[in-house]
Amino acid sequence: MSSLLSSIESPADLRQLTRQQLPALAKELRGFVLDSVSRTGGHLSSNLGTVELTIALHYVFNTPEDRLVWDVGHQTYPHKILTGRRERMDTLRQLGGISGFPRRDESEYDTFGTAHSSTSISAALGMAMAARMKGESRHAVAIIGDGAMTAGMAFEALNNAGVEDGRLLVVLNDNDMSISPPVGALNRYLAQLMSGRFYAAAKNVGKTVLKGAPPLFELAKRLEEHAKGMVVPATLFEQFGFNYVGPIDGHDLDSLVPTLENIRQLMDKGDGPQFLHVVTKKGQGYKLAEADPVAYHGPGKFDPKVGLVKPAAPPKPTFTQVFGQWLCDMAEADTRLVGITPAMREGSGMVEFHKRFPGRYFDVGIAEQHAVTFAGGLACEGMKPVVAIYSTFLQRAYDQLIHDVALQNLPVVFALDRAGIVGADGATHAGAYDIAFVRCIPNMAMACPADEAEARQLLSTAFAQNHPVAVRYPRGSGIGAEVPAGLEGLPYGKGEVRRRGRRIAILAFGTLLYPALTAGERLGATVANMRWVKPLDLELLRELANTHDALVTVEEGCVMGGAGSAVIEALQAEGIAMPVLPLGLPDEFVEHGDPAKLLAQLGLDAAGIERSIREAHAGLLDASAQPLIRSA
């Protein structure tokens, strides 16, 4: 371990260094981040870009008394290393290890959980107002990436903060890069502002010269706002009531530290909310990541000397890739198709669609609410929108899903990626709740493909409907099912029996069909691939209920309100009384870790499903009597 970094167990140790030592510390910290992420996998580009900013913030502000809120939270590895978690970085994003995002229960320095974007200003404002009301002198700092600034919530918070009197600083980490390439008017504005840096330099020189002549200085101040409009766009953030400072080089500690010290003094004087515009570079200090920050956004393990290497043998296609290919093929067949993503072009598999159909591709930025209502507007005019969105991010647009799409019964397809357990990103990104919150909405339908082939087929079925349909699928690959080349769908609202057994029937929703089949083989049970949560295949459900003594539902989603609940409700409506064992995600947030290990831990692998059924229905499995046949 290098001498400077090894001496720092907390920011209090950092603050004992001289300012002249900070650049050397930054070099060591950047090297540690690169080495650490190459061993564990994780977010790299963004963290290489926040090294100096992290050092400067902890050096100037009295953390943890002063609150830092990071947005998006995947840029906090340097922060974790400097706040006592250096020795645990080898457990990053692993089962039982530290999180890849800030977590309040992990460290007192993690003041707010920020794995979803654009929440930092609201949270920091709340902290600043609480300090004011309690008579405390601490500061609250929101560090927000430029991609996160595209969300409406960030502007709602700015609008509120500009009229409040608290010790609040918003740091815009402008790295010209969200996960996907940045989009929208705000990004163009920041680019224009950067091109007008000479104005800021000229203004500072003019102030120095004119302060010796007060009347001229006052005249210059009055002319400043008018002149500003001729040189750069009107400073948006000043219009919100912030004192805007910048832009400054986010990798220059000689600029960062004194600027932050001056801003802290302004906060202490009660000069209102402050806004610091910092320009950083994703992947800073590692040439390969600088050249391709998207590829190095969230790499797996790799050799830093070599960089990322493509696997020798092509892996099984992921569900995301299956979706991307289907999207292109369906767009070729139907000119009404429009693809929409809220800033997740790569993650949602839309790169090829963007290249082939640029006029029908819309990246709306980190703005899930807008994405859904925008799709509704397109559908009103006869288009067929497909919204590619992570399950966890659709939660952010729930009102729009109900009010703007379902209530008006508009034909929008929601391709819900990352459904179920997501692995290293943990509870904040798990798609645990979509079955429960979608199935209760009138006019909505939901399909759960069991494998890659069904994913393509059920997307086609969903696209053919004249009402909103969600198709949920997990991260990564399935069993490797051969994907058909055509665009034929599967029957709407219909499942199938995949294995005939006796006494117990397992109803599988989604990819857990395959461990359910293994368990069914060991138990001699019937196994059905239900495919649709809504509408449920009532004909199949009645047949299974009338020929078996007990039902078991299996889903990679929350048990409460999920597919199992749908089955129980349907049986009650049919007047059928029989035991139903629902298996799925428990009423708790599932931690980060390897998905296979997590599913086994939750009893949702083949062995766990078999074990749960044996424990619940030992009598049925041991009995030699023929199954009870109920009359239809």
Side-chain angles (χ1 to χ4, degrees), residues 291-545:
D292 193 352
V294 172
Y296 286 87
H297 168 71
K301 299 177 184 180
F302 68 100
D303 182 347
K305 296 178 182 178
V306 177
L308 301 182
V309 178
K310 292 183 179 179
K316 294 183 293 185
T318 65
F319 281 92
T320 301
Q321 290 168 335
V322 170
F323 163 74
Q325 185 61 57
W326 170 86
L327 190 67
C328 290
D329 293 346
M330 186 59 80
E332 191 74 52
D334 193 328
T335 59
R336 298 174 301 165
L337 187 149
V338 176
I340 302 168
T341 177
M344 296 303 293
R345 183 187 69 173
E346 285 78 14
S348 293
M350 298 183 73
V351 174
E352 184 64 22
F353 178 80
H354 182 199
K355 291 178 182 177
R356 290 179 56 187
F357 305 97
R360 290 192 270 161
Y361 166 83
F362 294 92
D363 182 344
V364 301
I366 302 178
E368 293 87 359
Q369 294 168 294
H370 163 61
V372 173
T373 304
F374 173 55
L378 286 163
C380 284
E381 300 302 322
M383 306 305 287
K384 293 281 285 188
V386 177
V387 180
I389 187 168
Y390 289 10
S391 168
T392 185
F393 296 147
L394 185 59
Q395 296 164 187
R396 311 186 82 185
Y398 194 52
D399 179 63
Q400 288 70 27
L401 183 64
I402 296 173
H403 184 272
D404 299 337
V405 173
L407 184 63
Q408 303 180 90
N409 203 26
L410 297 172
V412 178
V413 174
F414 294 91
L416 303 189
D417 204 328
R418 271 64 167 179
I421 297 295
V422 293
D425 285 336
T428 57
H429 284 59
Y433 312 108
D434 52 58
I435 293 177
F437 72 65
V438 166
R439 77 174 189 86
C440 64
I441 304 174
N443 295 330
M444 286 288 305
M446 172 168 266
C448 305
D451 54 39
E452 301 89 337
E454 285 195 356
R456 181 177 175 94
Q457 293 167 312
L458 289 172
L459 282 164
S460 292
T461 304
F463 190 77
Q465 306 310 307
N466 199 33
H467 58 84
V469 184
V471 181
R472 76 185 307 259
Y473 46 89
R475 181 175 190 169
S477 302
I479 63 159
E482 184 177 351
V483 180
L487 291 169
E488 298 79 14
L490 291 169
Y492 178 74
K494 293 295 181 181
E496 61 173 357
V497 173
R498 289 289 294 268
R499 184 189 188 281
R500 285 287 177 182
R502 57 193 295 273
R503 309 217 71 168
I504 294 172
I506 305 173
L507 284 59
F509 294 83
T511 55
L512 293 188
L513 168 68
Y514 290 96
L517 282 168
T518 301
E521 189 70 29
R522 295 170 182 167
L523 297 166
T526 294
V527 180
N529 175 19
M530 297 303 290
R531 288 184 180 147
W532 294 86
V533 173
K534 184 182 181 184
L536 270 177
D537 188 342
L538 293 179
E539 182 180 2
L540 177 57
L541 179 59
R542 280 192 293 265
E543 188 265 318
L544 294 173

Side-chain angles (χ1 to χ4, degrees), residues 53-252:
L53 179 58
T54 303
I55 290 172
L57 286 167
H58 280 295
Y59 191 75
V60 172
F61 289 96
N62 184 32
T63 55
E65 175 65 19
D66 290 330
R67 314 298 201 222
L68 302 184
V69 183
W70 295 88
D71 186 0
V72 178
H74 62 231
Q75 61 183 326
T76 53
Y77 297 1
H79 162 82
K80 287 176 181 279
I81 293 165
L82 294 176
T83 54
R85 288 166 278 182
R86 185 183 67 244
E87 298 300 327
R88 296 192 65 206
M89 286 298 290
D90 61 349
T91 71
L92 183 74
R93 292 158 43 99
Q94 298 168 46
L95 188 61
I98 62 175
S99 172
F101 302 98
R103 283 184 53 150
R104 284 174 52 82
D105 60 1
E106 187 177 290
S107 170
E108 62 180 333
Y109 293 92
D110 292 0
T111 61
F112 201 80
T114 51
H116 287 189
S117 78
S118 316
T119 59
S120 58
I121 304 175
S122 299
L125 177 61
M127 293 171 180
M129 292 301 97
R132 188 188 72 181
M133 289 185 285
K134 294 194 292 183
E136 298 172 349
S137 59
R138 55 184 167 80
H139 310 85
V141 183
I143 307 100
I144 183 168
D146 58 345
M149 281 297 298
T150 63
M153 185 175 177
F155 286 89
E156 292 172 22
L158 288 172
N159 185 56
N160 185 189
V163 297
E164 297 293 350
D165 182 20
R167 296 182 179 184
L168 173 68
L169 167 62
V170 175
V171 178
L172 172 61
N173 177 24
D174 177 6
N175 56 28
D176 196 36
M177 191 75 199
S178 49
I179 297 175
S180 296
V183 297
L186 176 64
N187 182 257
R188 288 198 299 271
Y189 165 79
L190 293 176
Q192 288 174 302
L193 191 62
M194 282 301 301
S195 68
R197 277 198 225 177
F198 72 91
Y199 163 75
K203 181 179 72 173
N204 290 335
V205 171
K207 282 183 177 180
T208 302
V209 173
L210 294 175
K211 276 190 175 180
L216 291 177
F217 181 60
E218 288 302 315
L219 176 61
K221 282 180 65 178
R222 292 179 186 178
L223 291 173
E224 179 180 335
E225 290 304 316
H226 299 285
K228 204 180 266 189
M230 294 185 289
V231 184
V232 295
T235 304
L236 173 66
F237 306 108
E238 288 183 350
Q239 301 302 317
F240 275 109
F242 283 76
N243 176 47
Y244 174 88
V245 177
I248 67 170
D249 185 347
H251 301 298
D252 182 1

